[in-house]
Amino acid sequence: HVATRSGVPVGYWRSVGHSHHAFFSEGFIDELAHEAKQDPVAFRLALVKSMPRHAAVLQLAANKAGWNDKLTPGRARGVALHESFDSIVAQVAEVSIVEGRKPRVHRVVCAIDCGIAVNPNVIAMQIESGVVYGLAAAISGEITLKDGVVQQSNFHDYQVLRINQMPKVEVHIVPSANKPTGVGEPGTPPIAPAVANALALLTGKTVRDLPFSKSGLTFV
């Protein structure tokens, strides 16, 4: 990366740089798997064969999502694996294209290794909210400037995820005796690449821009 002074004041962002780094790296890994004609989960497992915690998280998410099960026609699954704040999260997103070119995210299965699960309910809630936050940003979360002024003013022109767009989210925790690590932010980074990887399977086109609305995709 290159540090630069944009002149635009910015605030806090959940998962900070991990959100776009996961999008870049996990999207590229899926492209590599496609070029190698390998299953995306199997391809990743080969890459993390010396990293048992990563492999366990990925396998748990894939198993709970039924990665190898037959899908409803017109649906696809995308996967992403990312470590942030000393926690490892894998997510599998189930996506379809409806009403022509309009995608819909139906289900997101998450697995996390955050060390000792001090409060499993809090972990699940944090991962669920991280998915909401990351998915909303991935779908249409964009701030634009014109003549030095932010064009968005409220939720009518800065769209957030609506209740009818919310997928079913499942959270699974890997049993661990390691020290507790982060749960507030690690749920956000994998969701955008997981959805993008599913979209690539459905459309045959790789999405390399965020938000997805830049590519003409309107989620329902």
Side-chain angles (χ1 to χ4, degrees), residues 5-209:
R5 294 183 181 276
S6 67
V8 178
V10 296
Y12 295 103
W13 178 261
R14 192 171 186 171
S15 81
V16 288
H18 287 283
S19 54
H20 44 270
H21 290 157
F23 180 69
F24 301 149
S25 61
E26 285 299 291
F28 185 53
I29 286 174
D30 247 51
E31 291 188 54
L32 293 174
H34 178 74
E35 287 296 318
K37 296 180 171 55
Q38 292 187 27
D39 175 82
V41 169
F43 188 79
R44 284 172 172 80
L45 286 172
L47 294 175
V48 298
K49 59 185 177 182
S50 63
M51 305 163 74
R53 294 181 68 188
H54 291 73
V57 170
L58 180 56
Q59 287 176 319
L60 180 60
N63 290 341
K64 293 295 185 180
W67 180 261
N68 293 316
D69 295 348
K70 187 175 180 180
L71 271 168
T72 302
R75 293 193 185 189
R77 295 187 185 100
V79 64
L81 172 69
H82 188 74
E83 179 181 354
S84 61
F85 305 94
D86 296 321
S87 292
I88 307 156
V89 176
Q91 293 178 2
V92 176
E94 188 173 315
V95 183
S96 71
I97 301 290
V98 298
E99 301 176 19
R101 238 178 94 76
K102 296 181 179 179
R104 179 173 183 81
V105 183
H106 298 273
R107 181 188 181 207
V108 180
V109 178
C110 313
I112 180 171
D113 182 342
C114 57
I116 295 172
V118 176
N119 190 324
N121 289 333
V122 168
I123 294 169
M125 288 187 289
Q126 288 290 341
I127 298 300
E128 289 165 353
S129 63
V131 168
V132 176
Y133 187 91
L135 186 56
I139 287 175
S140 59
E142 183 178 23
I143 294 294
T144 56
L145 297 159
K146 184 177 181 181
D147 299 325
V149 178
V150 173
Q151 293 181 284
Q152 292 73 27
S153 61
N154 213 315
F155 293 126
H156 69 286
D157 52 11
Y158 181 85
Q159 295 294 311
V160 296
L161 203 67
R162 302 303 197 234
I163 291 175
N164 63 298
Q165 295 175 304
M166 184 64 197
K168 179 182 179 181
V169 180
E170 303 168 28
V171 180
H172 304 278
I173 302 169
V174 175
S176 174
N178 291 300
K179 67 177 183 179
T181 50
V183 297
E185 302 187 80
T188 295
I191 185 61
V195 172
N197 291 337
L199 286 172
L201 292 173
L202 287 168
T203 65
K205 297 180 180 179
T206 302
V207 181
R208 292 197 177 99
D209 292 309

